[in-house]
Amino acid sequence: MTDGYAVYVAVQGTYAGRLMLQEVANLQTRDAMEDFRALGVRTVTLFSPAQNESVTAIARELKAQLFCKLKPEEKEITLNKLQKAMPRTESLLYIEKDCESRPRRSPADVNSCMIRGDNLEQFDADFLVVDGDLQNVVEAMETAQWVSSQRKDHFAIAAFVKAALVFLAMIGCSTMWFAAVLDGAAALGTMLLSVRAYGFEKQHRRLRDLLKPYESK
């Protein structure tokens, strides 16, 4: 046996056969890793509570660094070292799988916590992923990048409105109430950027597609 486990089975003392078991990276994880890298993630690091050839093979398949059987304080030291080794223009994202109640916050720049849908405890994390779908982290990152690109347009619109109001006031064509209402409308439009993210331009990346359907009662 080279890369798995063998379970030998006997029935009433008589050999009945063996079961061959092998650990492999699930399809969701492999697809998520590809999407992470497509979004600009440079390095992926895995922390595993186990240490065997199967875990090493999975890390190799995912092209990730691997740290096994680290104590909480050792993991914190490792995350600090990884963060210090990164360029200033990059950030460290830590994803905690199957979070317990109130897990200790890691030293990473952004902390995410994967919880079950029926767990209503409070968590010390930057964002929560319900039901443990790793792909949702990718969706959040892609939406955040889209919103970041759109904020420049909103800033330009708000700045243009303010400049136009100043010009109209200088030539005596704008009253105080007109300027206040128009400036408030421009500010409100900028604040509603999150609503645009709800209907995200990419059809397969719309946030509303990730929300579970519900019925009002």
Side-chain angles (χ1 to χ4, degrees):
M1 203 186 70
T2 58
D3 56 357
Y5 305 91
V7 179
Y8 294 90
V9 182
V11 178
Q12 296 182 349
T14 303
Y15 175 74
R18 64 178 180 176
L19 301 175
M20 302 298 296
L21 307 177
Q22 184 179 17
E23 294 184 16
V24 295
N26 61 49
L27 296 177
Q28 179 203 93
T29 301
R30 286 189 297 185
D31 293 342
M33 290 301 104
E34 294 179 2
D35 291 339
F36 273 130
R37 291 187 169 90
L39 288 173
V41 174
R42 185 170 57 87
T43 304
V44 176
T45 302
L46 299 180
F47 294 94
S48 174
Q51 186 173 11
N52 52 50
E53 291 298 327
S54 297
V55 174
T56 303
I58 290 174
R60 190 182 305 114
E61 179 183 354
L62 298 177
K63 300 177 182 179
Q65 302 180 67
L66 177 63
F67 293 93
C68 298
K69 294 185 175 181
L70 293 185
K71 298 179 180 178
E73 56 273 16
E74 293 175 332
K75 183 185 292 186
E76 184 173 349
I77 293 174
T78 301
L79 287 171
N80 276 318
K81 290 181 179 179
L82 293 173
Q83 191 175 41
K84 291 179 180 179
M86 297 173 60
R88 292 184 178 180
T89 56
E90 297 183 359
S91 300
L92 180 63
L93 165 65
Y94 178 72
I95 303 173
E96 178 73 22
K97 188 75 167 64
D98 299 327
C99 284
E100 298 178 358
S101 179
R102 298 183 182 276
R104 183 177 179 180
R105 188 177 180 86
S106 81
D109 298 298
V110 180
N111 286 266
S112 64
C113 198
M114 308 187 80
I115 65 174
R116 298 189 307 272
D118 58 347
N119 195 333
L120 301 180
E121 296 289 338
Q122 298 296 317
F123 294 89
D124 185 15
D126 295 302
F127 65 92
L128 303 178
V129 179
V130 181
D131 294 333
D133 189 349
L134 188 61
Q135 196 66 35
N136 285 343
V137 181
V138 182
E139 301 285 354
M141 292 175 60
E142 186 174 14
T143 304
Q145 289 187 1
W146 179 81
V147 172
S148 180
S149 67
Q150 294 297 315
R151 65 186 172 88
K152 297 180 180 178
D153 296 339
H154 284 250
F155 176 79
I157 294 173
F160 173 78
V161 171
K162 290 181 182 297
L165 290 175
V166 171
F167 175 76
L168 292 175
M170 291 176 60
I171 63 176
C173 295
S174 174
T175 64
M176 181 183 68
W177 287 111
F178 175 78
V181 171
L182 194 57
D183 184 59
L188 179 61
T190 303
M191 294 170 59
L192 292 178
L193 175 60
S194 57
V195 178
R196 293 185 62 192
Y198 180 74
F200 204 19
E201 288 180 348
K202 293 186 178 181
Q203 293 300 315
H204 62 292
R205 298 296 192 197
R206 291 181 303 185
L207 291 185
R208 59 186 171 199
D209 295 336
L210 301 176
L211 301 179
K212 294 182 179 180
Y214 66 93
E215 296 181 1
S216 59
K217 296 182 179 180

